[in-house]
Structure formats: structure tokens, C-alpha cells
Amino acid sequence: MRFVHGFISVVLWIIAIPLLVVAAARALPFDDVVPLPHLVAFTPWATLVTLPLLIVALFSRRWLLSLLLTAALAGYVYWTAPFFVPPDTSTAADPADPGTVRVMTINALYGRADAESVVHLVESQHVEVLSVQELTPAFTEALTDAGLDELLTHSLTVPVADSPAGSGLWSSTPLREEDQLDGTSFAMPSALVAAGGTDVRVTVVHPHPPMPTDITTWRTELVELTEQVHADDTPQILAGDFNATYDHAGFRDLLGSRFWDATREWGAGPAVTWPEGSQVPPLFALDHVVVERDMPVSDVVTMQVPGTDHRALVATVVVE
């Protein structure tokens, strides 16, 4: 009997330790040290496991473990619950309203995404601004052949062959004051887009991923992006593969007191977008539409696109 009791304790602790470690990593105000960026990404999933484990620990009278799990669960709920709280006005905005912008972002995986599927989503979702990452010359041509230029007649593209560094921006209205963010490994083009009577700067976002051997580049590029967007007083929308979830401190630093993550603001739960198209279901919300805090959002959804390991993310942004 004592052996069984001890065995159960060992099993509970083996399961609990990773959950406690993730909670401790999430509580830190920084994430630029290996393996913190990779641990905190599991925060939403750790929340789901912690509750049943706490119940088992309580019934088993493992009081120290129960206390630690209670503290971890309190943190998880505090960090995750806002994703499930809809805004005061949760009525979907009308994409046809001139003061709204329907935005879509998709990582094309070295240009391997199915171009016809992307164009179909643009048409069926009434997309007015499209952000594409990992854009190649061949994929740019495929999008044109599939009819994208007939739906979104204005574009700013920086395609790069055989590389994830390319990006592109398409719009149904003219793009003005075109620009390119400095100090990044991947192209991040931006331009002004008119929404009703307001000019909004839309930026295609794609910082370097947090590779275990090169966390510094990831963190540096997030900081560079943060500094540049906060230095611009123009109303902004950022759309792309941020290679970070809301649980990453670097992403929250980028939001600051100025921006919202559209998915979190819509309150329908985390929009997991990666990895897609494999035996492993999407686990992480790496793709985001980020908006000014005075821009309500609605109808934030993810969509499957064959050929890429990311889901597309679509959101309606009310600019005015």
C-alpha cells in the first residue's frame, strides 16, 4: 500500500513539474533566454491540464502539490480567461462599411501555399487588405494567375526566391507612402490604406523565429519592430506571423498600452494557427492582427489553406 501511495505521488509530480515550470516562465517579465520562449507558448494548453491534476492532488491529499498547482492555475486563468470574454459590443461589423477594413494574413511557407485557395478566401471573406509572408516570385505569379490582382488591385511586394524572407501587401484601395521596416531579417513592407476618411498604416509583420540557437535575433527584431511602430503616431494595423504568442513578453511589450491583439479582443478563444497540415493539430497562436485600442474588431476567424503550415487569420477592423 505504501508503495502504491509513493508511486502515485511520483507520477503526479512528474506530470506537475512541467506545468509549474511553464507557469513560472510565463510569470517572468522577460523571455529572451532559452528555453523561455518555447515554454510560455504552451500556457493555454497547460491551463487545461492543471485543473484535472489539481483535483486529483486534492482528493489524494497531496497538500504541497495542491498548493503549488492552485497558484499555477490561478495564474493560468488570469492570463487565459480574457481570450474568452467577448467585448461589450460583440455584433459583427459590416465589412461593406467604408469605415471598416477586412484584413487577412497568411504565411505561405516558402511560397508553397495553394494560390487559388488564398484568392478564394480573399473573395469569399470580402478581404480588403492581404498580408502575405514567405512570399516568393513564383507564388506572386501564382496569385496573379489565380486572379488576386483583379480583387485587390494595389500591391507592394518584396518576393524572395527559396527563402522565408519575402513579404507582400495587397489592398483594394491605393497604397501610399510605401515603406520598409529597417533592421529585420525578413521583409516587412508597410503603406497607408484609406478606410473611410482615415489613413491607416498597414504593416506586414514577420520577425525571425525564436530558434534555440539564435534567440537574440528574434528578441532584437521584436524590439526593433516595437520601437518603430510606437514612434509613428499614424493609426496602424499590424498583420502577419509574429513568431510569438500573446504569452510572450516581447509580444506584450509590442502591444504596450497602445495596441490590441484582435483575437484576444474578440473574445472567442485563442486563434491557434500553427502547425497546420500535419498529424499534429495547430497548437500555437503565432499569427496576429494587431490594431489600435480605439479600433473595435469583429468576426476574427482562422481558415485552412492547403500547402502551408499556417492557418490564415481574418479579422474585420472598425477604423472609424
Side-chain angles (χ1 to χ4, degrees):
M1 188 67 179
R2 182 178 299 178
F3 172 79
V4 173
H5 183 84
F7 178 77
I8 293 174
S9 292
V10 170
V11 171
L12 289 176
W13 277 102
I14 289 175
I15 299 173
I17 286 175
L19 303 175
L20 298 174
V21 169
V22 171
R26 176 60 174 82
L28 294 173
F30 58 88
D31 56 12
D32 55 349
V33 179
V34 175
L36 295 183
H38 312 97
L39 289 174
V40 300
F42 286 95
T43 295
W45 302 109
T47 306
L48 297 178
V49 180
T50 301
L51 177 58
L53 188 64
L54 172 59
I55 294 173
V56 173
L58 286 170
F59 275 98
S60 302
R61 298 183 180 180
R62 272 74 176 182
W63 305 123
L64 175 59
L65 180 59
S66 297
L67 178 63
L68 293 174
L69 288 173
T70 298
L73 182 62
Y76 285 139
V77 171
Y78 175 76
W79 297 320
T80 307
F83 280 96
F84 298 91
V85 179
D88 295 336
T89 302
S90 56
T91 303
D94 183 1
D97 190 313
T100 67
V101 179
R102 185 72 165 157
V103 179
M104 173 174 154
T105 178
I106 179 65
N107 181 315
L109 185 62
Y110 288 76
R112 297 171 189 165
D114 182 72
E116 292 187 357
S117 296
V118 172
V119 175
H120 172 72
L121 284 181
V122 168
E123 183 173 19
S124 63
Q125 292 295 313
H126 309 288
V127 171
E128 297 164 279
V129 172
L130 173 66
S131 166
V132 178
Q133 305 87 55
E134 303 200 15
L135 180 71
T136 63
F139 190 61
T140 305
E141 183 177 349
L143 289 172
T144 298
D145 292 342
L148 180 60
D149 295 345
E150 299 172 11
L151 299 172
L152 304 177
T153 55
H154 306 274
S155 62
L156 169 60
T157 61
V158 188
V160 180
D162 303 319
S163 169
S167 294
L169 178 65
W170 280 261
S171 172
S172 61
T173 59
L175 299 173
R176 298 181 290 106
E177 296 187 23
E178 298 175 355
D179 200 1
Q180 166 72 32
L181 263 69
D182 299 324
T184 59
S185 304
F186 304 153
M188 297 198 204
S190 71
L192 290 183
V193 173
T198 302
D199 287 335
V200 180
R201 179 163 293 280
V202 180
T203 301
V204 180
V205 174
H206 193 203
H208 196 277
M211 305 299 293
T213 56
D214 192 7
I215 294 295
T216 301
T217 300
W218 170 73
R219 180 60 175 172
T220 299
E221 293 192 2
L222 277 178
V223 170
E224 185 68 26
L225 174 64
T226 299
E227 292 177 349
Q228 293 193 44
V229 299
H230 280 271
D232 187 350
D233 293 332
T234 306
Q236 296 184 61
I237 297 173
L238 315 176
D241 174 8
F242 285 69
N243 275 311
T245 71
Y246 185 88
D247 294 301
H248 287 95
F251 181 75
R252 298 194 305 277
D253 288 344
L254 185 149
L255 297 178
S257 61
R258 176 176 175 179
F259 297 107
W260 288 119
D261 177 13
T263 300
R264 193 169 188 262
E265 178 65 7
W266 182 234
V272 290
T273 57
W274 183 89
E276 175 64 39
S278 66
Q279 294 181 344
V280 178
L283 296 173
F284 308 116
L286 301 183
D287 302 85
H288 304 270
V289 173
V290 170
V291 302
E292 303 276 353
R293 289 204 174 203
D294 61 355
M295 294 180 182
V297 299
S298 71
D299 198 19
V300 182
V301 294
T302 62
M303 299 283 182
Q304 291 181 313
V305 176
T308 178
D309 59 347
H310 283 251
R311 287 185 175 180
L313 180 66
V314 189
T316 299
V317 182
V318 183
V319 175
E320 61 176 26

